[in-house]
Amino acid sequence: MRTQLVAVGERRRKNHDRVKDIWCSKKPYISGRIVHRLGVPAHLQASWHIRGLRLTILTMPRIEDANGLPLTTYRATFLPTRLDSNAPNAIAQGPYSISFESSSTITAVDFEACFDLIASSSANAYATSSIGWSPVNKRKEMKLPDLRYLLLKDATKQIHGFLSSMLTYEDGREVVYCYELHLSPAVQRQGLGKHLMSLMETIGMNAEVEKSMLTVFVENDTALKFYGGLGYSKDDYSPEPRKMRNGTVKMPTYVILSKSLQEWGTDEEELEDG
């Protein structure tokens, strides 16, 4: 007899383990439960029988587990084999290439080149915002252990842009957070920023986080338009205007944007074993 496999929704534990339950039974579905199709490696499965039914619990790697992976394993797990797949012509046919590093493997030269891009394009915006500009603090942030870098280089290995991101938690939710995205003026408007964002979102989707997030200064109309074109919108976690005791309203100097990375089905689906 062919066994029906039904994947029953998703639930979360307080320790942020992501758990999916698969019930194997003769029933074609479990009424009232949302189910999802799963392609599950055997090493993630643990099974036993409960009242004649086999219960398989799949515990996916937590954010901490993912960030603890060696860089080569992290890349193989969450990124495409070729970072130039579906890339714009500036990469596919041009002089630019993308490399992947962590905050501990990025060279000192590349690190300073990334910092210089931030300073030249955003130092003034930081200084006039509620965040403030501190080169020392920014360098410390760039060295956060779980930060990962996508570096855009030319044929001479000179940095022309980069994206830094982290798999993390935001307001208790699992996300991939874009810390920085900067391109030198010479390589802007060639689809390179969009491609770097696509790679970061691929990390998030393969890690099965809920959404991608980033912070933008409200005065940066160009960036707001760019991210809006990629499907980002204001997140519920973004700061709102605050009314002060004297009656004045203090407007936030930045906005937090997000984009859902998971398309959970709403219909019950079946998986068949055998």
Side-chain angles (χ1 to χ4, degrees):
M1 179 181 294
R2 191 163 55 181
T3 303
Q4 303 281 353
L5 287 185
V6 181
V8 222
E10 175 181 292
R11 58 189 172 87
R12 294 174 184 270
R13 293 176 176 172
K14 290 183 179 179
N15 64 358
H16 299 292
D17 279 353
R18 175 165 287 165
V19 178
K20 293 184 175 70
D21 297 340
I22 295 184
W23 291 87
C24 303
S25 71
K26 297 179 181 179
K27 296 180 180 180
Y29 60 88
I30 296 177
S31 179
R33 304 296 296 274
I34 297 174
V35 298
H36 308 296
R37 297 188 183 279
L38 298 174
V40 183
H43 70 278
L44 293 179
Q45 302 182 24
S47 304
W48 62 91
H49 287 79
I50 298 179
R51 294 181 182 178
L53 297 178
R54 189 184 73 185
L55 173 65
T56 302
I57 295 184
L58 312 175
T59 304
M60 305 305 290
R62 297 175 301 172
I63 293 294
E64 292 85 352
D65 295 333
N67 287 331
L69 293 172
L71 186 66
T72 53
T73 306
Y74 186 106
R75 172 173 173 168
T77 303
F78 301 124
L79 281 167
T81 303
R82 293 177 57 92
L83 299 182
D84 59 357
S85 296
N86 302 314
N89 289 337
I91 294 176
Q93 302 175 11
Y96 300 106
S97 62
I98 298 174
S99 61
F100 184 65
E101 301 291 345
S102 70
S103 58
S104 61
T105 64
I106 187 172
T107 67
V109 172
D110 288 347
F111 180 88
E112 287 302 319
C114 290
F115 175 83
D116 289 343
L117 280 174
I118 298 174
S120 63
S121 64
S122 301
N124 290 337
Y126 271 103
T128 58
S129 75
S130 58
I131 300 174
W133 172 249
S134 167
V136 173
N137 290 341
K138 177 55 65 176
R139 282 190 167 90
K140 287 181 179 179
E141 180 187 83
M142 292 173 67
K143 280 295 187 180
L144 290 174
D146 296 335
L147 211 57
R148 302 292 182 268
Y149 286 82
L150 290 163
L151 305 176
L152 179 70
K153 298 182 178 184
D154 63 18
T156 66
K157 303 302 180 182
Q158 181 179 350
I159 295 283
H160 285 267
F162 79 98
L163 182 151
S164 60
S165 66
M166 183 189 296
L167 291 172
T168 185
Y169 301 105
E170 194 68 32
D171 196 26
R173 300 173 184 267
E174 295 173 335
V175 306
V176 57
Y177 210 107
C178 178
Y179 272 64
E180 305 284 351
L181 172 60
H182 297 273
L183 297 173
S184 65
V187 299
Q188 293 177 7
R189 301 186 183 280
Q190 299 183 49
L192 297 171
K194 181 178 180 180
H195 184 65
L196 290 174
M197 287 294 294
S198 176
L199 290 174
M200 182 199 69
E201 291 170 7
T202 297
I203 292 174
M205 287 186 285
N206 287 334
E208 295 190 349
V209 300
E210 181 176 327
K211 55 187 175 180
S212 170
M213 300 181 70
L214 52 91
T215 303
V216 184
F217 292 117
V218 294
E219 68 177 30
N220 195 341
D221 293 331
T222 300
L224 289 170
K225 183 178 179 179
F226 169 74
Y227 292 121
L230 297 181
Y232 286 80
S233 59
K234 184 178 178 180
D235 189 80
D236 293 337
Y237 197 58
S238 187
E240 298 290 344
R242 290 187 301 153
K243 189 173 183 178
M244 312 303 288
R245 291 182 178 179
N246 61 7
T248 61
V249 177
K250 187 175 182 179
M251 302 299 294
T253 57
Y254 63 91
V255 60
I256 297 175
L257 305 180
S258 66
K259 174 182 177 180
S260 176
L261 297 182
Q262 299 296 336
E263 297 181 0
W264 301 114
T266 56
D267 297 326
E268 292 178 344
E269 299 175 346
E270 291 181 357
L271 295 174
E272 294 187 348
D273 181 24

